[in-house]
Amino acid sequence: MAIQRLRELEVEMKKCFRCNMCKMVPLATVRHPRFSDGCPASREFNFHGYSGSGKQIMGLSLVDNRIRVDENLAQIVYACTACGLCDVSCKFIMEAERHTVNMALREHIVDEGFGLAVHAQTVDNIQRHGHPDGRPRYSAGHWAKDLGLAILPKDRAEVLLYAGCLTRDDDQSAATVRKLAQILLQAGVNFGILGDQETSCGLPAYWTGHRDAFTKTAKSNLALLNTLGVKTIVTASGSCHGALQSKYPEYAGTTKARVMHAAEFIWELIEDGALKLKRPIRKKVTYHDPCYLGRQSEPPVVWRGTVGCAYNCMTVTKPHKPINYGTKGVYDAPRRVLARIPGLDFREMWRIREYAYCCGGGGGVPKAYPGFAKATALHRLEEARDVGAEMLVTACHQCRAQFIRAQDASVNARVPITDLIDLVHFSADIME
């Protein structure tokens, strides 16, 4: 039962002394007063219960039997994009596992029968159709038509291109992954794809607290991935990268192959001279750090020891426990690639890297709280406009789709959205 997991995290919950750091980027990193908040839920609902701290208090109250799970509690807990900002902001001043508690809280809510119906449908879709939105429009490998790619495991290759399930229902994601394949072909990479055997990484089940379903999906995918004999798995989407690199090890196990995001792999190709970017793009651009490519992509800490709490807020671990600060995510590679594209005028947003503001596309929020998801994306787009960007670049299917949805529903937020892969394909002057 998930309540046992909450009980095991009691010491983490007790460390919270309501300093409100979970609602903002650390003060030392603030670069603009209008773009200093960090928690989308706190910004939208303006009440402490929606913050990372509020969820710690809820979890502790459940463990102490002071409250019970009900529909109101579930509605508050799920009004969160599961971006993990509260976790890294809190770790600026202490060692505390805020995100872990948040996810255990969701798992307990599902165990108690109060998970949201729209999320249960998403999980059922993944298990039945391999796609969170139900039966998709296209087969998993449709985007690779006529490219002559190796299909694993029937064929053999050193690299697997992991496309991501959004390519089965989203034309732009499919086109982007096709461009990635063409980039790899031009660079002479020995790679293949899973074709119609590829299914969802299962991240929506993780986001919504459906622990058993996510574990089952992750183990099934791992069983396939670990039989392929590839040395490297290249993910096209930041969300898939976070799932394989960070969440699979926690819930199911690790891949035998090295997991890299396309931005990292492309950067290696550029450094090795296998890929040259020569066609200029004369635009003022900014880059959005996806949460699950950045702070949520660090593998979990493997540690055995004892945990104590001093002065009701300080952690004492024996032996010393390493801390995931969110700083080891994929931050440098996308920026290095952008720096190699001729003509680009790159401008950083005010909140970047491990303290980047979420796009609003995670945690099951777009389906359950579309207005909240839209407001979160529009606030991030406002930040992009504030730094003078003429284009926002990201490296995640989920983020791009969320930004586009928000813009389609608004008349005041027009900033062209593109994927880093699309820019590389154009600058490498690759023909379709």
Side-chain angles (χ1 to χ4, degrees):
M1 298 291 287
I3 189 64
Q4 181 57 35
R5 190 165 183 236
L6 273 178
R7 289 193 180 105
E8 292 169 357
L9 293 165
E10 183 175 0
V11 67
E12 301 294 337
M13 296 181 263
K14 285 184 174 179
K15 294 175 199 172
C16 178
F17 56 92
R18 308 186 193 187
C19 69
N20 290 313
M21 283 288 289
C22 56
K23 300 175 185 176
M24 58 186 289
V25 300
L27 187 60
T29 71
V30 172
R31 299 164 59 216
H32 193 296
R34 196 162 82 251
F35 303 106
S36 59
D37 51 345
C39 171
S42 292
R43 176 182 178 83
E44 176 73 6
F45 300 103
N46 199 29
F47 193 75
H48 188 75
Y50 290 87
S51 69
S53 172
K55 295 180 183 70
Q56 309 301 304
I57 297 166
M58 289 179 193
L60 194 58
S61 297
L62 287 166
V63 168
D64 290 343
N65 290 315
R66 286 180 281 138
I67 62 171
R68 293 183 181 276
V69 177
D70 59 18
E71 291 182 2
N72 290 331
L73 184 142
Q75 287 290 333
I76 293 171
V77 170
Y78 279 111
C80 162
T81 62
C83 74
L85 185 281
C86 59
D87 192 79
V88 295
S89 285
C90 184
K91 285 174 179 172
F92 194 81
I93 60 170
M94 72 166 73
E95 191 285 309
E97 301 299 332
R98 301 299 175 219
H99 181 74
T100 301
V101 171
N102 292 349
M103 302 316 294
L105 187 55
R106 292 185 177 207
E107 290 168 11
H108 178 54
I109 290 171
V110 170
D111 270 6
E112 291 292 298
F114 287 91
L116 304 190
V118 67
H119 294 159
Q121 182 61 58
T122 296
V123 173
D124 184 63
N125 288 339
I126 291 172
Q127 295 181 314
R128 286 175 178 266
H129 307 294
H131 191 279
D133 290 333
R135 191 178 297 279
R137 290 190 295 159
Y138 306 118
S139 63
H142 78 101
W143 57 268
K145 184 179 179 181
D146 299 328
L147 290 181
L149 304 182
I151 307 296
L152 308 179
K154 177 176 66 71
D155 300 320
R156 306 295 289 179
E158 292 184 358
V159 174
L160 168 68
L161 193 169
Y162 192 87
C165 66
L166 204 57
T167 58
R168 300 180 66 185
D169 218 41
D170 181 76
D171 291 333
Q172 285 186 305
S173 296
T176 294
V177 174
R178 185 177 177 87
K179 289 177 182 178
L180 175 57
Q182 291 171 334
I183 291 168
L184 300 185
L185 286 171
Q186 175 155 306
V189 177
N190 177 13
F191 77 100
I193 62 174
L194 287 172
D196 290 345
Q197 291 193 76
E198 183 177 313
T199 61
S200 172
C201 68
L203 190 60
Y206 165 82
W207 275 336
T208 56
H210 290 81
R211 184 184 183 90
D212 291 343
F214 177 65
T215 301
K216 180 181 178 181
T217 301
K219 286 184 175 180
S220 176
N221 285 338
L222 276 175
L224 174 60
L225 294 173
N226 285 338
T227 63
L228 301 178
V230 297
K231 296 179 180 178
T232 306
I233 299 171
V234 176
T235 63
S237 171
S239 294
C240 294
H241 182 83
L244 296 179
Q245 184 80 345
S246 177
K247 309 313 171 190
Y248 275 31
E250 183 180 355
Y251 285 72
T254 58
T255 60
K256 293 179 180 178
R258 179 188 182 194
V259 178
M260 298 181 71
H261 183 263
E264 298 175 289
F265 199 78
I266 287 170
W267 173 244
E268 286 194 356
L269 293 176
I270 293 172
E271 276 199 307
D272 292 342
L275 181 67
K276 299 186 184 300
L277 306 183
K278 50 195 176 185
R279 193 175 178 186
I281 301 175
R282 306 195 186 283
K283 289 279 187 181
K284 299 171 184 176
V285 305
T286 192
Y287 175 72
H288 167 75
D289 288 291
C291 302
Y292 280 72
L293 182 60
R295 56 180 168 256
Q296 285 284 6
S297 72
E298 287 192 27
V301 170
V302 178
W303 174 83
R304 297 289 183 273
T306 59
V307 181
C309 184
Y311 305 109
N312 210 37
C313 65
M314 295 175 60
T315 302
V316 179
T317 59
K318 295 181 181 180
H320 173 69
K321 178 185 176 183
I323 301 174
N324 279 5
Y325 288 103
T327 57
K328 296 179 182 177
V330 180
Y331 302 117
D332 294 330
R335 290 170 169 82
R336 288 169 178 165
V337 172
L338 288 171
R340 286 295 184 93
I341 298 177
L344 276 191
D345 180 356
F346 181 66
R347 286 128 185 261
E348 287 281 18
M349 281 193 275
W350 302 112
R351 293 165 292 190
I352 61 172
R353 301 176 77 91
E354 69 267 32
Y355 302 123
Y357 196 77
C358 182
C359 72
V365 165
K367 290 184 180 296
Y369 309 88
F372 169 34
K374 173 189 170 184
T376 302
L378 293 181
H379 179 58
R380 185 63 161 165
L381 291 168
E382 179 188 356
E383 186 175 356
R385 292 197 305 275
D386 192 76
V387 298
E390 298 170 335
M391 178 185 291
L392 185 146
V393 181
T394 189
C396 178
H397 299 334
Q398 200 85 25
C399 293
R400 180 175 62 181
Q402 177 56 31
F403 284 131
I404 290 172
R405 278 194 299 266
Q407 290 204 125
D408 286 346
S410 173
V411 296
N412 300 315
R414 293 295 165 191
V415 178
I417 314 295
T418 193
D419 194 288
L420 178 69
I421 293 166
D422 296 329
L423 293 188
V424 170
H425 186 272
F426 180 88
S427 187
D429 207 13
I430 299 172
M431 299 299 292
E432 173 63 41

